[in-house]
Amino acid sequence: MKITLVMIALLTSACATPHTRDMLVHERRDNVPHGYTHKGPAPSDQKLRLRLALTQTDIAGLHSALYAMSTPGSATYGQHLSKDDVTKYVAPKSESVDAIKSWLSENGLSATTLSPAGDWYGFETTVAKANELFHAEFSTFLHESGQEAIRTLSYSIPASLERHLDLVHPTVSFPDQRSNVPVVSAPLPLSARAPSNDPIPASCYQYLTPTCLQELYGIPSTPAIQDENQLGVTGLIQEYANRADLRSFLEKFRPDLSPNNTFSFQSIDGGENSQNISEAGAEADLDVQYTIGVASDVPVTFISVGSDFQDGDLDGSLDIVNFLLSQDNPPQVLSTSYAQDEYTLSRRLAEKLCNAYAQLGARGTSLLFGSGDGGVTGTQYQNKCKADKFVPTFPSSCPFVTSVGASELISPTEVAANFSSGGFSNYFDTPSYQTDAKKTYLDKLGKSLKGKYNATGRGYPDVSAIGYVQIFFQGEQGNVSGTSCSTPIFASVISLLNDRLIAGGKSPLGFLNPLLYSEAGVAALTDITSGNNPGCKTNGFSAVAGWDPITGLGTPIFSKMASALGL
Ligand SMILES: *[C@@H]1O[C@H](CO)[C@@H](O)[C@H](O)[C@H]1NC(C)=O
Ligand SMILES: *[C@@H]1O[C@H](CO)[C@@H](O)[C@H](O)[C@H]1NC(C)=O
Ligand SMILES: *[C@@H]1O[C@H](CO)[C@@H](O)[C@H](O)[C@H]1NC(C)=O
Ligand SMILES: *[C@@H]1O[C@H](CO)[C@@H](O)[C@H](O)[C@H]1NC(C)=O
Ligand SMILES: *[C@@H]1O[C@H](CO)[C@@H](O)[C@H](O)[C@H]1NC(C)=O
């Protein structure tokens, strides 16, 4: 009797799950990321919302088209694609859709499309069912912040789906999103009075405000005029942008603008924007103040991403791009001051997100991301370097975004801020626009720091801007620092250039990097040549003449950028 029961059990499981030999490990991770501990198996009846990323038809074709439309001098320069054009490159083939759908229905599941091109599907299941479907061990991982995440360290898919399915999420990629702004910062390094011959504008002494940036970078204070020119500001991890703080900021630091200037609000995945002043976020306040306060009169939208999908964070990063890609007219500039350590994502997910950024670039959106605030140790200093190897950050490591590092003023020049994250990707190769700039830097570096960084990877940041400013936060004026300051400042410069381009009947800038690394681009930036970003028991990289992995190509010179664009 006993034997029969066992046999029945075996037969049942053989029918319900595919044979082990037909299942191939699709993604795995050897270690839990820093800060997480494994608490044990996730409750089997716990609901999971999983996403499937289907293989895209012609992503290489999209990359080529993107480079052509973004490289000055190319025949298609500035010819951005429509939503339908992008869809043609990235929609999965019908055989892939059919294979995924029939596999889902064999397993009693049905999925909904999560992206305009149909390359993402989502479905809900339980931990028990997901463990069986993917030969996974979904477990509860506790982060030192108290946040829990349900993840598995490995999963498998049927061999027949290998060429149709890029990845399943959330599985082996962990939440690690950090805002790039320390709330309380050290006093500004520049406190001495300006000597009369100091090239640093007097408005930059005591504290840094939009007036200083206007003088330092030549950013015009004349209001922008094009209503169709949009600047999007990303809000993640329950950071709320406060309208009263923004008004106080404008009244004090931009008295020439209407204090009524404010942002539009867009919610994704149930994202909120509480206006209770004690719930204002320093990051969100900084991001709206240094866009609305610098990109005078450019329409700004604050996009708050909630955690309705699974556990926010990475899901939020996916949902915000899919949301923007679904729009007929996505914003021409998106400023994002959040980053995570590259290794906390799987290589497949990092590539998938990077390809989504390439799609937005092809639509004509310039994507600016802060490089991080931990020097060579990653997004934050508390991130540990394994075996003293440097920790690259994402999305900065993606070649299709513009990564922004930080500088500071030390009389008589602008130098690298020591927290400015920079380095080389372990996932993405050097893009062609960067080959020469990177080689020149590595030749100078020689053997020093050898083995601590990946010499074949994409180098970041691409550019930089001041990383210490004054904001209004929860009703009070205060100092903040971080590449979070630099990112909205650089984004504002691009938005003001776009305003003029659009007024002149020209295309907005879109994906910036091939232009920035061109001869005209390099000439329109101030090269930062001193300072370093210590970490992992080293002094980190040093800023040198030319591109370097701490300040990139340098900081903006508005008039030269405008004239390089024929404005
Ligand atoms: C700001 O809005 C208020 C209320 O609508 C209005 O009375 C005031 O004139 C506006 N201020 C400016 C400078 O536009
Ligand atoms: C504002 O937020 C604080 C902190 O979350 C809370 O204690 C307070 O009750 C809130 N005030 C109102 C009016 O909701
Ligand atoms: C970076 O510079 C600040 C201010 O000059 C200093 O307090 C801090 O210790 C430096 N950080 C590192 C990692 O050297
Ligand atoms: C170094 O970067 C390349 C991408 O350029 C990547 O393929 C390789 O796996 C990386 N090596 C290590 C050890 O991470
Ligand atoms: C900001 O920094 C300046 C310059 O060091 C200092 O005078 C001021 O007290 C600081 N303000 C705050 C609110 O910390």
Side-chain angles (χ1 to χ4, degrees), residues 177-202:
Q177 205 66 251
R178 308 296 172 96
S179 97
N180 296 327
V181 58
V183 176
V184 186
S185 81
L188 292 174
L190 196 73
S191 47
R193 279 232 77 66
S196 56
N197 63 345
D198 191 335
I200 294 174

PDB file of all heavy atoms in Angstrom, residues 177-202:
ATOM      1  N   GLN A 177      17.997  50.418  -3.952  1.00  0.00           N
ATOM      2  CA  GLN A 177      17.940  51.774  -4.483  1.00  0.00           C
ATOM      3  C   GLN A 177      18.289  52.787  -3.390  1.00  0.00           C
ATOM      4  O   GLN A 177      17.723  52.769  -2.318  1.00  0.00           O
ATOM      5  CB  GLN A 177      16.511  52.018  -4.982  1.00  0.00           C
ATOM      6  CG  GLN A 177      16.365  53.056  -6.043  1.00  0.00           C
ATOM      7  CD  GLN A 177      17.007  52.694  -7.365  1.00  0.00           C
ATOM      8  OE1 GLN A 177      18.012  53.290  -7.691  1.00  0.00           O
ATOM      9  NE2 GLN A 177      16.443  51.760  -8.107  1.00  0.00           N
ATOM     10  N   ARG A 178      19.256  53.656  -3.699  1.00  0.00           N
ATOM     11  CA  ARG A 178      19.650  54.697  -2.740  1.00  0.00           C
ATOM     12  C   ARG A 178      19.465  56.044  -3.385  1.00  0.00           C
ATOM     13  O   ARG A 178      19.722  56.205  -4.574  1.00  0.00           O
ATOM     14  CB  ARG A 178      21.127  54.564  -2.361  1.00  0.00           C
ATOM     15  CG  ARG A 178      21.550  53.199  -1.894  1.00  0.00           C
ATOM     16  CD  ARG A 178      20.843  52.791  -0.604  1.00  0.00           C
ATOM     17  NE  ARG A 178      21.141  51.396  -0.296  1.00  0.00           N
ATOM     18  CZ  ARG A 178      22.097  51.010   0.530  1.00  0.00           C
ATOM     19  NH1 ARG A 178      22.846  51.902   1.136  1.00  0.00           N
ATOM     20  NH2 ARG A 178      22.312  49.725   0.761  1.00  0.00           N
ATOM     21  N   SER A 179      19.036  57.003  -2.595  1.00  0.00           N
ATOM     22  CA  SER A 179      19.032  58.363  -3.106  1.00  0.00           C
ATOM     23  C   SER A 179      20.455  58.879  -2.918  1.00  0.00           C
ATOM     24  O   SER A 179      21.157  58.462  -2.000  1.00  0.00           O
ATOM     25  CB  SER A 179      18.011  59.203  -2.364  1.00  0.00           C
ATOM     26  OG  SER A 179      18.615  59.940  -1.352  1.00  0.00           O
ATOM     27  N   ASN A 180      20.861  59.761  -3.817  1.00  0.00           N
ATOM     28  CA  ASN A 180      22.244  60.231  -3.770  1.00  0.00           C
ATOM     29  C   ASN A 180      22.406  61.518  -2.969  1.00  0.00           C
ATOM     30  O   ASN A 180      23.153  62.381  -3.341  1.00  0.00           O
ATOM     31  CB  ASN A 180      22.759  60.451  -5.188  1.00  0.00           C
ATOM     32  CG  ASN A 180      22.810  59.155  -5.972  1.00  0.00           C
ATOM     33  OD1 ASN A 180      23.059  58.102  -5.405  1.00  0.00           O
ATOM     34  ND2 ASN A 180      22.574  59.224  -7.256  1.00  0.00           N
ATOM     35  N   VAL A 181      21.640  61.658  -1.891  1.00  0.00           N
ATOM     36  CA  VAL A 181      21.782  62.879  -1.093  1.00  0.00           C
ATOM     37  C   VAL A 181      21.873  62.564   0.391  1.00  0.00           C
ATOM     38  O   VAL A 181      20.960  62.044   0.983  1.00  0.00           O
ATOM     39  CB  VAL A 181      20.629  63.884  -1.348  1.00  0.00           C
ATOM     40  CG1 VAL A 181      19.286  63.310  -1.050  1.00  0.00           C
ATOM     41  CG2 VAL A 181      20.832  65.165  -0.567  1.00  0.00           C
ATOM     42  N   PRO A 182      23.016  62.846   0.989  1.00  0.00           N
ATOM     43  CA  PRO A 182      23.067  62.768   2.443  1.00  0.00           C
ATOM     44  C   PRO A 182      22.221  63.925   2.993  1.00  0.00           C
ATOM     45  O   PRO A 182      22.348  65.051   2.547  1.00  0.00           O
ATOM     46  CB  PRO A 182      24.543  62.987   2.767  1.00  0.00           C
ATOM     47  CG  PRO A 182      25.274  62.861   1.468  1.00  0.00           C
ATOM     48  CD  PRO A 182      24.290  63.240   0.410  1.00  0.00           C
ATOM     49  N   VAL A 183      21.303  63.640   3.908  1.00  0.00           N
ATOM     50  CA  VAL A 183      20.364  64.660   4.376  1.00  0.00           C
ATOM     51  C   VAL A 183      21.095  65.785   5.084  1.00  0.00           C
ATOM     52  O   VAL A 183      20.862  66.956   4.840  1.00  0.00           O
ATOM     53  CB  VAL A 183      19.297  64.034   5.297  1.00  0.00           C
ATOM     54  CG1 VAL A 183      18.391  65.108   5.863  1.00  0.00           C
ATOM     55  CG2 VAL A 183      18.489  63.012   4.522  1.00  0.00           C
ATOM     56  N   VAL A 184      21.984  65.430   5.964  1.00  0.00           N
ATOM     57  CA  VAL A 184      22.725  66.461   6.670  1.00  0.00           C
ATOM     58  C   VAL A 184      24.138  66.427   6.112  1.00  0.00           C
ATOM     59  O   VAL A 184      24.753  65.386   6.065  1.00  0.00           O
ATOM     60  CB  VAL A 184      22.772  66.170   8.174  1.00  0.00           C
ATOM     61  CG1 VAL A 184      23.419  67.331   8.909  1.00  0.00           C
ATOM     62  CG2 VAL A 184      21.385  65.892   8.701  1.00  0.00           C
ATOM     63  N   SER A 185      24.619  67.558   5.661  1.00  0.00           N
ATOM     64  CA  SER A 185      25.940  67.512   5.055  1.00  0.00           C
ATOM     65  C   SER A 185      26.917  68.359   5.848  1.00  0.00           C
ATOM     66  O   SER A 185      26.525  69.192   6.649  1.00  0.00           O
ATOM     67  CB  SER A 185      25.878  68.017   3.627  1.00  0.00           C
ATOM     68  OG  SER A 185      25.885  69.418   3.637  1.00  0.00           O
ATOM     69  N   ALA A 186      28.170  68.097   5.569  1.00  0.00           N
ATOM     70  CA  ALA A 186      29.217  68.908   6.184  1.00  0.00           C
ATOM     71  C   ALA A 186      29.069  70.337   5.661  1.00  0.00           C
ATOM     72  O   ALA A 186      28.511  70.548   4.591  1.00  0.00           O
ATOM     73  CB  ALA A 186      30.564  68.351   5.777  1.00  0.00           C
ATOM     74  N   PRO A 187      29.555  71.318   6.411  1.00  0.00           N
ATOM     75  CA  PRO A 187      29.498  72.682   5.899  1.00  0.00           C
ATOM     76  C   PRO A 187      30.254  72.759   4.576  1.00  0.00           C
ATOM     77  O   PRO A 187      31.132  71.943   4.305  1.00  0.00           O
ATOM     78  CB  PRO A 187      30.193  73.519   6.961  1.00  0.00           C
ATOM     79  CG  PRO A 187      30.457  72.638   8.103  1.00  0.00           C
ATOM     80  CD  PRO A 187      30.197  71.233   7.713  1.00  0.00           C
ATOM     81  N   LEU A 188      29.906  73.719   3.790  1.00  0.00           N
ATOM     82  CA  LEU A 188      30.571  73.848   2.503  1.00  0.00           C
ATOM     83  C   LEU A 188      32.062  74.057   2.702  1.00  0.00           C
ATOM     84  O   LEU A 188      32.478  74.714   3.647  1.00  0.00           O
ATOM     85  CB  LEU A 188      29.992  75.043   1.759  1.00  0.00           C
ATOM     86  CG  LEU A 188      28.551  74.860   1.319  1.00  0.00           C
ATOM     87  CD1 LEU A 188      28.024  76.134   0.722  1.00  0.00           C
ATOM     88  CD2 LEU A 188      28.470  73.736   0.322  1.00  0.00           C
ATOM     89  N   PRO A 189      32.870  73.511   1.804  1.00  0.00           N
ATOM     90  CA  PRO A 189      34.308  73.667   1.949  1.00  0.00           C
ATOM     91  C   PRO A 189      34.762  75.091   1.669  1.00  0.00           C
ATOM     92  O   PRO A 189      35.864  75.481   2.006  1.00  0.00           O
ATOM     93  CB  PRO A 189      34.876  72.700   0.908  1.00  0.00           C
ATOM     94  CG  PRO A 189      33.781  72.498  -0.068  1.00  0.00           C
ATOM     95  CD  PRO A 189      32.509  72.670   0.673  1.00  0.00           C
ATOM     96  N   LEU A 190      33.882  75.874   1.009  1.00  0.00           N
ATOM     97  CA  LEU A 190      34.290  77.199   0.557  1.00  0.00           C
ATOM     98  C   LEU A 190      33.744  78.244   1.511  1.00  0.00           C
ATOM     99  O   LEU A 190      32.631  78.717   1.359  1.00  0.00           O
ATOM    100  CB  LEU A 190      33.695  77.404  -0.827  1.00  0.00           C
ATOM    101  CG  LEU A 190      34.252  78.522  -1.656  1.00  0.00           C
ATOM    102  CD1 LEU A 190      35.634  78.152  -2.156  1.00  0.00           C
ATOM    103  CD2 LEU A 190      33.351  78.763  -2.839  1.00  0.00           C
ATOM    104  N   SER A 191      34.492  78.588   2.533  1.00  0.00           N
ATOM    105  CA  SER A 191      33.927  79.549   3.464  1.00  0.00           C
ATOM    106  C   SER A 191      34.753  80.832   3.533  1.00  0.00           C
ATOM    107  O   SER A 191      34.287  81.844   4.035  1.00  0.00           O
ATOM    108  CB  SER A 191      33.776  78.930   4.846  1.00  0.00           C
ATOM    109  OG  SER A 191      34.959  78.270   5.175  1.00  0.00           O
ATOM    110  N   ALA A 192      35.967  80.771   2.979  1.00  0.00           N
ATOM    111  CA  ALA A 192      36.806  81.975   3.028  1.00  0.00           C
ATOM    112  C   ALA A 192      36.227  83.056   2.110  1.00  0.00           C
ATOM    113  O   ALA A 192      35.506  82.757   1.175  1.00  0.00           O
ATOM    114  CB  ALA A 192      38.215  81.636   2.563  1.00  0.00           C
ATOM    115  N   ARG A 193      36.504  84.298   2.398  1.00  0.00           N
ATOM    116  CA  ARG A 193      36.025  85.386   1.548  1.00  0.00           C
ATOM    117  C   ARG A 193      36.788  85.373   0.230  1.00  0.00           C
ATOM    118  O   ARG A 193      37.952  84.990   0.175  1.00  0.00           O
ATOM    119  CB  ARG A 193      36.238  86.741   2.225  1.00  0.00           C
ATOM    120  CG  ARG A 193      35.164  87.054   3.226  1.00  0.00           C
ATOM    121  CD  ARG A 193      34.540  88.426   3.001  1.00  0.00           C
ATOM    122  NE  ARG A 193      33.580  88.489   1.899  1.00  0.00           N
ATOM    123  CZ  ARG A 193      32.406  87.877   1.851  1.00  0.00           C
ATOM    124  NH1 ARG A 193      32.029  87.069   2.789  1.00  0.00           N
ATOM    125  NH2 ARG A 193      31.599  88.044   0.847  1.00  0.00           N
ATOM    126  N   ALA A 194      36.112  85.772  -0.818  1.00  0.00           N
ATOM    127  CA  ALA A 194      36.740  85.767  -2.128  1.00  0.00           C
ATOM    128  C   ALA A 194      37.799  86.857  -2.218  1.00  0.00           C
ATOM    129  O   ALA A 194      37.515  88.004  -1.934  1.00  0.00           O
ATOM    130  CB  ALA A 194      35.679  86.020  -3.187  1.00  0.00           C
ATOM    131  N   PRO A 195      39.030  86.496  -2.594  1.00  0.00           N
ATOM    132  CA  PRO A 195      39.994  87.551  -2.898  1.00  0.00           C
ATOM    133  C   PRO A 195      39.515  88.285  -4.153  1.00  0.00           C
ATOM    134  O   PRO A 195      38.768  87.717  -4.951  1.00  0.00           O
ATOM    135  CB  PRO A 195      41.295  86.802  -3.157  1.00  0.00           C
ATOM    136  CG  PRO A 195      40.939  85.379  -3.364  1.00  0.00           C
ATOM    137  CD  PRO A 195      39.571  85.154  -2.806  1.00  0.00           C
ATOM    138  N   SER A 196      39.932  89.511  -4.338  1.00  0.00           N
ATOM    139  CA  SER A 196      39.366  90.308  -5.424  1.00  0.00           C
ATOM    140  C   SER A 196      39.643  89.696  -6.805  1.00  0.00           C
ATOM    141  O   SER A 196      38.867  89.868  -7.722  1.00  0.00           O
ATOM    142  CB  SER A 196      39.898  91.731  -5.357  1.00  0.00           C
ATOM    143  OG  SER A 196      41.310  91.675  -5.389  1.00  0.00           O
ATOM    144  N   ASN A 197      40.757  88.944  -6.934  1.00  0.00           N
ATOM    145  CA  ASN A 197      41.060  88.363  -8.250  1.00  0.00           C
ATOM    146  C   ASN A 197      40.597  86.910  -8.380  1.00  0.00           C
ATOM    147  O   ASN A 197      40.988  86.196  -9.280  1.00  0.00           O
ATOM    148  CB  ASN A 197      42.566  88.466  -8.518  1.00  0.00           C
ATOM    149  CG  ASN A 197      43.361  87.655  -7.506  1.00  0.00           C
ATOM    150  OD1 ASN A 197      42.834  87.243  -6.469  1.00  0.00           O
ATOM    151  ND2 ASN A 197      44.629  87.429  -7.801  1.00  0.00           N
ATOM    152  N   ASP A 198      39.761  86.448  -7.424  1.00  0.00           N
ATOM    153  CA  ASP A 198      39.297  85.060  -7.456  1.00  0.00           C
ATOM    154  C   ASP A 198      38.371  84.842  -8.649  1.00  0.00           C
ATOM    155  O   ASP A 198      37.386  85.549  -8.811  1.00  0.00           O
ATOM    156  CB  ASP A 198      38.535  84.756  -6.153  1.00  0.00           C
ATOM    157  CG  ASP A 198      38.261  83.275  -5.983  1.00  0.00           C
ATOM    158  OD1 ASP A 198      38.212  82.547  -6.989  1.00  0.00           O
ATOM    159  OD2 ASP A 198      38.085  82.847  -4.826  1.00  0.00           O
ATOM    160  N   PRO A 199      38.694  83.860  -9.525  1.00  0.00           N
ATOM    161  CA  PRO A 199      37.803  83.609 -10.667  1.00  0.00           C
ATOM    162  C   PRO A 199      36.441  83.034 -10.251  1.00  0.00           C
ATOM    163  O   PRO A 199      35.500  83.040 -11.035  1.00  0.00           O
ATOM    164  CB  PRO A 199      38.584  82.601 -11.516  1.00  0.00           C
ATOM    165  CG  PRO A 199      39.548  81.966 -10.580  1.00  0.00           C
ATOM    166  CD  PRO A 199      39.855  82.966  -9.505  1.00  0.00           C
ATOM    167  N   ILE A 200      36.338  82.525  -9.033  1.00  0.00           N
ATOM    168  CA  ILE A 200      35.054  81.968  -8.589  1.00  0.00           C
ATOM    169  C   ILE A 200      34.115  83.133  -8.267  1.00  0.00           C
ATOM    170  O   ILE A 200      34.470  84.027  -7.504  1.00  0.00           O
ATOM    171  CB  ILE A 200      35.251  81.055  -7.362  1.00  0.00           C
ATOM    172  CG1 ILE A 200      36.074  79.827  -7.773  1.00  0.00           C
ATOM    173  CG2 ILE A 200      33.908  80.631  -6.774  1.00  0.00           C
ATOM    174  CD1 ILE A 200      36.444  78.929  -6.627  1.00  0.00           C
ATOM    175  N   PRO A 201      32.887  83.133  -8.844  1.00  0.00           N
ATOM    176  CA  PRO A 201      31.974  84.256  -8.604  1.00  0.00           C
ATOM    177  C   PRO A 201      31.702  84.458  -7.110  1.00  0.00           C
ATOM    178  O   PRO A 201      31.594  83.481  -6.357  1.00  0.00           O
ATOM    179  CB  PRO A 201      30.692  83.839  -9.327  1.00  0.00           C
ATOM    180  CG  PRO A 201      31.076  82.743 -10.262  1.00  0.00           C
ATOM    181  CD  PRO A 201      32.301  82.099  -9.707  1.00  0.00           C
ATOM    182  N   ALA A 202      31.587  85.725  -6.704  1.00  0.00           N
ATOM    183  CA  ALA A 202      31.336  86.043  -5.292  1.00  0.00           C
ATOM    184  C   ALA A 202      30.039  85.398  -4.810  1.00  0.00           C
ATOM    185  O   ALA A 202      29.913  85.024  -3.647  1.00  0.00           O
ATOM    186  CB  ALA A 202      31.280  87.555  -5.112  1.00  0.00           C
TER     187      ALA A 202
END
